[in-house]
Amino acid sequence: MNRKSTRISQPMISIIFWYSKLFPCELLLKGECAMKALVSGGSSGIGAATCLRIAEAALARGVHPMIAVCGHETNISQEHVVRSIQSMGGTAIALAGDLADPEVPSKLVEAAVAEFGGLDALVANAGIASPAAICDLSVEDWDSMFSVNLRGPWLLAKASYPHLRQSRGTACFTSSMSGQLPHAGSGAYSPSKAALTMLAQTLALEWAPDGIRVNVVSPGMTHTRMTEKMYEDPQIKKAREDIIPLARIGDPTDIANVIEFLVSPLAGYVTGQDICVDGGFTKSILSHIPGRPSSKS
């Protein structure tokens, strides 16, 4: 079959060379280099935005995105994310399973690897929340939260490890500002997210000799499907905006942009970090204390 030849200009060659230094792949010029990623909780909110952002960024640097969009169950939202990636020119598959089931994480990874032929990035994003006082929780409540928010990501990481080692890939875990600061009334959510952050940072050290980078993104107040009912109350929304230095509630894309950076070649020297994306809120705590002490009389 005859193929039309394509002339590549000198500036374009320079750009491709620059990207190839950031994202080593001898097949880049042939267009066969891929970014193979699995995103849990990818059906909506931060996860959906992350799937789309990874695909967009990969295509922008001449890399073919191959994204496993994982959700608790197959639904219209998940299918929309898959079709959106495909419409960009990427490859996407929909995978479903309950991360509370200890057999599911490895099956998700196996399915993605079987489809893509490997794995370059794991984004462990799925999580659940259920407000309560700690002492009002049952053992079942506690275990349910930790099974999804901590054990699920651990098992995803464990199953992904041999594939990430082969690709010298990366992993990013979605924690929370509530994992950095104690959040009374959040039930087991705050403890589970604090444990998730420490899990990820421990993996960062254990996997560093294999060339695998591991980081954490901790969202602040963000408008997602899990929080949308709360933000339907204009008083709550306004009160929250008033205590955020940037004066707005975060959008899933705000978080996705940081996750994509951390799993991209641009973050090649970044590992073990917990980046809080919160509009400056957690650094503003002292500004809420009335009065300022002074040594002057």
Side-chain angles (χ1 to χ4, degrees):
M1 180 174 65
N2 294 327
R3 296 185 179 181
K4 294 181 180 180
S5 61
T6 302
R7 184 182 298 276
I8 302 177
S9 66
Q10 186 61 42
M12 181 59 71
I13 292 175
S14 298
I15 291 171
I16 291 174
F17 177 75
W18 181 70
Y19 274 128
S20 69
K21 295 294 285 183
L22 290 173
F23 197 99
C25 182
E26 61 184 11
L27 299 177
L28 184 58
L29 284 170
K30 298 180 181 179
E32 296 176 13
C33 191
M35 171 54 155
K36 305 167 184 176
L38 182 152
V39 181
S40 70
S43 297
S44 64
I46 293 170
T50 298
C51 290
L52 298 176
R53 185 69 192 100
I54 290 175
E56 290 170 349
L59 288 166
R61 60 177 179 262
V63 176
H64 183 74
M66 305 177 78
I67 315 293
V69 182
C70 302
H72 182 267
E73 58 186 5
T74 301
N75 54 40
I76 295 175
S77 176
Q78 183 187 43
E79 290 299 327
H80 176 72
V81 176
V82 169
R83 287 196 299 270
S84 295
I85 294 170
Q86 292 171 342
S87 69
M88 295 179 198
T91 297
I93 59 172
L95 300 176
D98 184 358
L99 290 179
D101 181 343
E103 295 185 2
V104 164
S106 62
K107 291 180 179 178
L108 294 176
V109 173
E110 288 170 5
V113 170
E115 184 72 20
F116 301 154
L119 193 65
D120 299 306
L122 165 68
V123 179
N125 170 75
I128 59 174
S130 181
I134 290 287
C135 289
D136 290 339
L137 296 172
S138 66
V139 171
E140 290 75 17
D141 293 331
W142 181 272
D143 288 347
S144 175
M145 187 74 66
F146 271 77
S147 67
V148 175
N149 290 0
L150 182 63
R151 189 182 66 193
W154 165 57
L155 291 175
L156 281 173
K158 188 175 180 180
S160 299
Y161 172 62
H163 309 292
L164 295 178
R165 181 177 58 191
Q166 184 175 359
S167 66
R168 296 179 70 84
T170 182
C172 186
F173 294 77
T174 304
S175 185
S176 170
M177 68 175 183
S178 296
Q180 296 183 348
L181 299 169
H183 194 174
S186 69
Y189 182 77
S190 192
S192 71
K193 289 298 188 177
L196 177 63
T197 298
M198 189 53 63
L199 166 68
Q201 292 179 326
T202 302
L203 287 175
L205 296 179
E206 292 187 355
W207 289 1
D210 295 311
I212 306 170
R213 298 182 300 101
V214 184
N215 290 289
V216 179
V217 169
S218 291
M221 289 173 261
T222 308
H223 197 288
T224 66
R225 187 175 64 180
M226 191 162 62
T227 62
E228 63 182 353
K229 286 187 178 180
M230 179 178 61
Y231 288 123
E232 288 174 357
D233 185 325
Q235 291 184 328
I236 291 179
K237 185 173 184 291
K238 178 65 164 55
R240 286 182 163 226
E241 289 172 338
D242 286 346
I243 59 174
I244 299 172
L246 289 183
R248 69 176 178 88
I249 304 301
D251 182 86
T253 303
D254 293 318
I255 316 303
N257 287 336
V258 180
I259 294 174
E260 191 283 320
F261 164 72
L262 290 173
V263 301
S264 80
L266 294 174
Y269 198 52
V270 181
T271 196
Q273 301 306 303
D274 178 9
I275 300 180
C276 194
V277 187
D278 67 347
F281 173 70
T282 56
K283 299 302 182 186
S284 72
I285 300 300
L286 296 182
S287 68
H288 300 292
I289 301 175
R292 297 293 183 270
S294 174
S295 60
K296 297 179 181 180
S297 58

